[in-house]
Amino acid sequence: MAAVMCLWLEPAWADKLSDAIAKAPQGTEAGQIDPSKPTGFLGIAGAPQVNMILAFVWAVWVGWIFSTVGAFGGVMAGVGHISVFGFGNYAKGFKTTAPELNKLVTDSIRTSNQWLVGLSALISSWNYYRMGRLVLPLAVALGVGSILGSWGSVQLTAGKVSFSSYQGYFGLFVLVLGCYLFYETTPAGQAGKQKTKAAVKAFEETVKKQKSGEKVDIKSLGVKTTSFSLTKVSFTFYGVEFSFNPIIPLLGGIVISAVAAFLGVGGGFILVPFLTSVAGLPMYLAAGTSALAVLVSMITSISSFMGGGTPIDWTLIGLELVGIVVGSVVGPKTSKYIPDIWLKRLFIVLALYVGIDYLLRGFFNIKMFG
């Protein structure tokens, strides 16, 4: 379906990009297009050219981090496209000279991020489901809400956001999230999470038994739905019972996916705290459940962006998708050997780093980290 959509819409994307390039001034200065230079990103003369080995390795990292913690795939994809590959500074250069091209490249970055996260979410969802570490009713409730949130956000913001604003808001959301997660690791934040701690302890003890050579039927200990109604769903994980009201994740999915679509990410970095704090899930369940919800959101958001004429650099994205497959297959297999608290700490460090850096770059033009 994705391939058919791409072939069908490609002429429209080319026309929209060509029109934006034609309106940009020609020359050798910043914010100008120099026809004498070789083509780079999106086939634009003088645009950044990406080292394909670096692109592949970075995509493996994106797939691994998303499939391991259920989040930060879109954020890391964004860091790669914006900073590592240099698309951010390139887009920013056209802010005043060619605003239409500035916004089109910005939308392309947002959509490219989502392609990577969408594939990782697809692979991760299936792997975690087979491992019994995906709460299907909860993921479905979040996914249903995400359809409306993603579609509405794209309709309201596509072609209207400059790169500087996008980068600033990207950093602000991530920074606020990192601060909240840091609070979650304090004694006050941990209070009242006895069920989560019990489930984490049971899971980690089972992994230790496996490592010592003992045979354990992990699938039978995984997520089992015990009751289902419109107002309450109950399930067990390693002998610990959890429950939630489906209406809450439905509403949460609308808000989370709207923010995620605006930022051009999967939304896992908001979904995971929602799942661990509001739903009280351990990180071992949050990753898989987040992945399925993200998948639904990504399908909606990508379709909306590309249906509106957002161009994609398929040479680059195609290679990155191969890297995503590698990282996403390895992630779920390695995550069970990493303690729950260290998964959360890794999440926090990434959030604080990206949040501070991008907030300063976007709103104040200060490059704190180079």
Side-chain angles (χ1 to χ4, degrees), residues 5 20 31 91 125 137 150 204 236 257 264 267 275 279 298 307 329 333 337 348 350 362 367:
M5 180 182 69
S125 298
S150 298
E204 292 180 348
T236 60
S257 64
L275 292 170
M298 290 300 89
V329 170
K333 297 181 183 299
Y337 299 112
I348 293 169
L350 292 173
K367 298 181 179 180

mmCIF file of all heavy atoms in Angstrom, residues 5 20 31 91 125 137 150 204 236 257 264 267 275 279 298 307 329 333 337 348 350 362 367:
data_model
loop_
_atom_site.group_PDB
_atom_site.id
_atom_site.type_symbol
_atom_site.label_atom_id
_atom_site.label_comp_id
_atom_site.label_asym_id
_atom_site.label_seq_id
_atom_site.Cartn_x
_atom_site.Cartn_y
_atom_site.Cartn_z
ATOM 1 N N MET A 5 1.089 4.094 -2.967
ATOM 2 C CA MET A 5 0.850 5.495 -2.646
ATOM 3 C C MET A 5 2.017 6.366 -3.109
ATOM 4 O O MET A 5 1.827 7.455 -3.664
ATOM 5 C CB MET A 5 0.648 5.657 -1.146
ATOM 6 C CG MET A 5 0.397 7.094 -0.710
ATOM 7 S SD MET A 5 0.221 7.267 1.087
ATOM 8 C CE MET A 5 1.883 6.931 1.630
ATOM 9 N N ALA A 20 9.149 25.173 -5.362
ATOM 10 C CA ALA A 20 9.822 25.809 -4.229
ATOM 11 C C ALA A 20 11.262 26.160 -4.581
ATOM 12 O O ALA A 20 11.769 27.233 -4.211
ATOM 13 C CB ALA A 20 9.783 24.883 -3.013
ATOM 14 N N GLY A 31 21.342 30.468 1.957
ATOM 15 C CA GLY A 31 19.970 30.781 1.609
ATOM 16 C C GLY A 31 19.753 30.908 0.115
ATOM 17 O O GLY A 31 18.699 31.373 -0.326
ATOM 18 N N ALA A 91 18.119 23.840 6.021
ATOM 19 C CA ALA A 91 16.750 24.351 5.955
ATOM 20 C C ALA A 91 16.657 25.739 6.579
ATOM 21 O O ALA A 91 15.982 26.630 6.049
ATOM 22 C CB ALA A 91 15.798 23.385 6.673
ATOM 23 N N SER A 125 6.691 -4.276 17.615
ATOM 24 C CA SER A 125 5.372 -4.711 18.093
ATOM 25 C C SER A 125 5.231 -6.225 17.984
ATOM 26 O O SER A 125 4.783 -6.898 18.922
ATOM 27 C CB SER A 125 4.261 -4.035 17.290
ATOM 28 O OG SER A 125 4.300 -2.642 17.434
ATOM 29 N N PRO A 137 -4.906 -4.616 24.498
ATOM 30 C CA PRO A 137 -6.057 -3.709 24.651
ATOM 31 C C PRO A 137 -5.631 -2.258 24.914
ATOM 32 O O PRO A 137 -6.257 -1.321 24.402
ATOM 33 C CB PRO A 137 -6.816 -4.290 25.847
ATOM 34 C CG PRO A 137 -6.382 -5.709 25.921
ATOM 35 C CD PRO A 137 -4.960 -5.719 25.477
ATOM 36 N N SER A 150 -3.192 12.465 15.111
ATOM 37 C CA SER A 150 -2.180 12.596 14.060
ATOM 38 C C SER A 150 -2.733 13.326 12.845
ATOM 39 O O SER A 150 -2.100 14.233 12.296
ATOM 40 C CB SER A 150 -1.685 11.209 13.625
ATOM 41 O OG SER A 150 -1.071 10.538 14.687
ATOM 42 N N GLU A 204 12.830 -9.874 36.231
ATOM 43 C CA GLU A 204 14.287 -9.908 36.268
ATOM 44 C C GLU A 204 14.800 -11.194 36.909
ATOM 45 O O GLU A 204 15.853 -11.720 36.517
ATOM 46 C CB GLU A 204 14.818 -8.676 37.006
ATOM 47 C CG GLU A 204 14.567 -7.384 36.219
ATOM 48 C CD GLU A 204 15.073 -6.130 36.922
ATOM 49 O OE1 GLU A 204 15.425 -6.231 38.127
ATOM 50 O OE2 GLU A 204 15.095 -5.065 36.288
ATOM 51 N N THR A 236 -2.707 -9.678 33.674
ATOM 52 C CA THR A 236 -1.618 -10.073 34.571
ATOM 53 C C THR A 236 -0.307 -10.134 33.800
ATOM 54 O O THR A 236 -0.285 -10.385 32.593
ATOM 55 C CB THR A 236 -1.886 -11.445 35.203
ATOM 56 O OG1 THR A 236 -2.003 -12.425 34.164
ATOM 57 C CG2 THR A 236 -3.159 -11.428 36.037
ATOM 58 N N SER A 257 -0.484 11.808 20.160
ATOM 59 C CA SER A 257 -0.203 11.695 18.726
ATOM 60 C C SER A 257 -0.223 13.056 18.040
ATOM 61 O O SER A 257 0.500 13.273 17.062
ATOM 62 C CB SER A 257 -1.215 10.761 18.059
ATOM 63 O OG SER A 257 -2.525 11.283 18.143
ATOM 64 N N GLY A 264 7.147 15.568 14.379
ATOM 65 C CA GLY A 264 7.722 14.673 13.378
ATOM 66 C C GLY A 264 8.393 13.470 13.993
ATOM 67 O O GLY A 264 9.388 12.970 13.458
ATOM 68 N N GLY A 267 6.319 9.632 19.045
ATOM 69 C CA GLY A 267 5.520 9.888 20.235
ATOM 70 C C GLY A 267 5.809 8.936 21.374
ATOM 71 O O GLY A 267 5.230 9.048 22.451
ATOM 72 N N LEU A 275 2.549 5.471 29.970
ATOM 73 C CA LEU A 275 2.321 4.072 30.318
ATOM 74 C C LEU A 275 2.923 3.714 31.670
ATOM 75 O O LEU A 275 2.343 2.931 32.427
ATOM 76 C CB LEU A 275 2.908 3.166 29.235
ATOM 77 C CG LEU A 275 2.203 3.220 27.875
ATOM 78 C CD1 LEU A 275 3.011 2.473 26.824
ATOM 79 C CD2 LEU A 275 0.798 2.635 27.978
ATOM 80 N N ALA A 279 -0.581 4.541 33.616
ATOM 81 C CA ALA A 279 -1.027 3.139 33.616
ATOM 82 C C ALA A 279 -0.246 2.275 34.592
ATOM 83 O O ALA A 279 -0.650 1.155 34.890
ATOM 84 C CB ALA A 279 -0.904 2.561 32.203
ATOM 85 N N MET A 298 1.932 6.516 13.242
ATOM 86 C CA MET A 298 2.840 6.779 12.116
ATOM 87 C C MET A 298 2.152 6.562 10.769
ATOM 88 O O MET A 298 2.356 7.320 9.826
ATOM 89 C CB MET A 298 4.075 5.894 12.210
ATOM 90 C CG MET A 298 5.021 6.247 13.340
ATOM 91 S SD MET A 298 5.689 7.932 13.239
ATOM 92 C CE MET A 298 4.433 8.873 14.145
ATOM 93 N N GLY A 307 0.319 12.718 1.422
ATOM 94 C CA GLY A 307 -0.849 13.076 0.630
ATOM 95 C C GLY A 307 -0.908 14.563 0.345
ATOM 96 O O GLY A 307 -1.502 15.002 -0.639
ATOM 97 N N VAL A 329 15.453 -5.661 15.290
ATOM 98 C CA VAL A 329 15.485 -7.095 15.589
ATOM 99 C C VAL A 329 16.362 -7.362 16.812
ATOM 100 O O VAL A 329 16.043 -8.192 17.667
ATOM 101 C CB VAL A 329 16.004 -7.891 14.371
ATOM 102 C CG1 VAL A 329 16.278 -9.341 14.757
ATOM 103 C CG2 VAL A 329 14.988 -7.836 13.231
ATOM 104 N N LYS A 333 15.772 -8.392 21.889
ATOM 105 C CA LYS A 333 16.555 -9.535 22.379
ATOM 106 C C LYS A 333 17.557 -9.118 23.455
ATOM 107 O O LYS A 333 17.950 -9.921 24.305
ATOM 108 C CB LYS A 333 17.286 -10.210 21.218
ATOM 109 C CG LYS A 333 16.356 -10.801 20.165
ATOM 110 C CD LYS A 333 17.131 -11.480 19.057
ATOM 111 C CE LYS A 333 16.224 -12.011 17.961
ATOM 112 N NZ LYS A 333 15.274 -13.021 18.445
ATOM 113 N N TYR A 337 18.068 -7.952 29.248
ATOM 114 C CA TYR A 337 19.270 -8.081 30.060
ATOM 115 C C TYR A 337 19.684 -6.756 30.700
ATOM 116 O O TYR A 337 20.684 -6.692 31.398
ATOM 117 C CB TYR A 337 20.426 -8.619 29.208
ATOM 118 C CG TYR A 337 20.149 -9.990 28.640
ATOM 119 C CD1 TYR A 337 19.973 -10.171 27.274
ATOM 120 C CD2 TYR A 337 20.049 -11.103 29.475
ATOM 121 C CE1 TYR A 337 19.709 -11.433 26.752
ATOM 122 C CE2 TYR A 337 19.789 -12.364 28.955
ATOM 123 C CZ TYR A 337 19.616 -12.523 27.588
ATOM 124 O OH TYR A 337 19.346 -13.762 27.080
ATOM 125 N N ILE A 348 16.268 9.200 30.357
ATOM 126 C CA ILE A 348 16.399 10.538 30.942
ATOM 127 C C ILE A 348 17.605 11.279 30.374
ATOM 128 O O ILE A 348 17.525 12.465 30.011
ATOM 129 C CB ILE A 348 16.510 10.446 32.476
ATOM 130 C CG1 ILE A 348 15.189 9.943 33.068
ATOM 131 C CG2 ILE A 348 16.871 11.796 33.083
ATOM 132 C CD1 ILE A 348 15.279 9.570 34.520
ATOM 133 N N LEU A 350 19.133 10.927 27.518
ATOM 134 C CA LEU A 350 18.866 11.325 26.136
ATOM 135 C C LEU A 350 17.907 12.515 26.082
ATOM 136 O O LEU A 350 18.091 13.441 25.289
ATOM 137 C CB LEU A 350 18.288 10.144 25.354
ATOM 138 C CG LEU A 350 19.243 8.973 25.105
ATOM 139 C CD1 LEU A 350 18.493 7.811 24.473
ATOM 140 C CD2 LEU A 350 20.403 9.398 24.226
ATOM 141 N N GLY A 362 16.905 26.287 18.606
ATOM 142 C CA GLY A 362 15.706 26.719 17.903
ATOM 143 C C GLY A 362 15.228 28.109 18.260
ATOM 144 O O GLY A 362 14.900 28.912 17.389
ATOM 145 N N LYS A 367 24.359 27.322 20.074
ATOM 146 C CA LYS A 367 24.786 25.945 19.858
ATOM 147 C C LYS A 367 25.608 25.482 21.056
ATOM 148 O O LYS A 367 26.836 25.504 21.028
ATOM 149 C CB LYS A 367 25.593 25.822 18.573
ATOM 150 C CG LYS A 367 24.789 26.205 17.327
ATOM 151 C CD LYS A 367 25.603 26.057 16.050
ATOM 152 C CE LYS A 367 24.775 26.422 14.840
ATOM 153 N NZ LYS A 367 25.558 26.281 13.582
#
